[in-house]
Amino acid sequence: MATYAPLDIPDDGKLAQNIAHFARALRKAGLPVGPGRVLDAIRAVEVAGFSERVDFYWTLHACFVSRPEERVVFEQVFRLFWRDPKYLDHMMSLLLPQVQGLQEDRAAAAAEKRAAEALLDGVERDLPERDDAPEEDAEIDIDASATMSHEERLKTLDFEQMSVDEVAEAKRMLARLSLPVKPLITRRYRAAHSGTQVDLRRTLRASLRQGGEITRLALKAPRLRWPNLVVLCDISGSMSQYSRLVLHFVHAVANRQGQGWAQVHGFTFGTRLTNITRHLKTRDVDAALRAAGAEAQDWSGGTRIGACLADFNRDWSRRVLGQGAVVLLITDGLDRDDTGQLARQMERLHLSCRRLIWLNPLLRWDGFAPKAQGIRAMLPHCDAFRAGHSVASLEALGAVISDPGDGGEKQRLLRMMSGT
């Protein structure tokens, strides 16, 4: 067990106490911060010192952040705790009901709501007094006919804007979702009492046992089989929060019996391609994603979509895309590599599967336009282009897969690209 020497911190200093309060806020926001890390942080600040805010930031970052996905939360908590002089007013506005005049106009940034909940834990959230507040006897009429229930609101909430409790509830909702698919009709036949065609071979064979007399026509029907589902999920820095919740959904699909998929294959990519199919078969979702995250070393890193798709097409396409597989591609399409290679690999992927559905969280913005070169190279080679930023968008996938004519926003964006 590690032992710690006494710290020579002045008795009248407040920095150590503030670091302890900061660590408590990080723990509330979901980071695994214990007393040992707090002592390490105080000791590191004492030894390293700091003359600028950036030095202080990276000293605490080295002590409290151990995984790439914790960086965004740490950054927001640090900004609110140490830097923003009006952080309390802003955080209160994030957590208050959305009443006109009290809520800030801008939406919370990524992980900012989690940071607000962590720092305001235990703080009384009373509504602030206003100069133009109505008198006590005045009656206020509120039309609540168009309001949504908590579950309906959570379904449409952006994954990036969710708090810690909302993320946990969204994971439970995703675990209950299913992704049904219609079976494929093959060219092979099977014996059936209510078939659509006459089975001549079985009919003649039965007549030979009766002296050549045909007393009953044997019928046959086409065989049905279920397709494979292949998920290619972007785990780069810009997709980190979305990819985690999408993989929760994929794990639920992979472990749900009776919904139709023959096999569910999962791949993650950032700067390299990683096969996580065997991890998805683990029943416990936390253990499955922990193992997948440990194997995918490029989590929250850069993006090389074209190179990763080339690796998939070369090494895995023939193994998992045979017999009419459906491919879900989850990425924002922001790739700085050669767009010519990206277009070629997308075309090859499209030709190798029965249906290619692209989920892009950027499509949640009303003013989204295909301006990025990566998006312009990929868009013509998908069958459907839809948003993938909320529980509701994932819940609607079943209808998209079952309807071959559902292209989502693809045609509208293609017309925008062509200028018509």
Side-chain angles (χ1 to χ4, degrees), residues 47 58 77 123 157 229 236 249 327 336 373 385 394 399 411:
V47 173
W58 288 112
V77 176
V123 177
L157 188 62
L229 176 65
S236 60
F249 170 65
V327 176
R336 297 184 178 180
Q373 293 298 322
F385 183 60
L394 297 180
Q411 295 302 324

Side-chain angles (χ1 to χ4, degrees), residues 18-28 31 33-34 37-38 64 81:
N18 287 331
I19 292 177
H21 287 300
F22 176 63
R24 187 178 299 114
L26 290 176
R27 185 164 54 250
K28 288 289 184 180
L31 272 65
V33 177
R37 291 196 180 186
V38 178
F64 291 130
F81 191 92

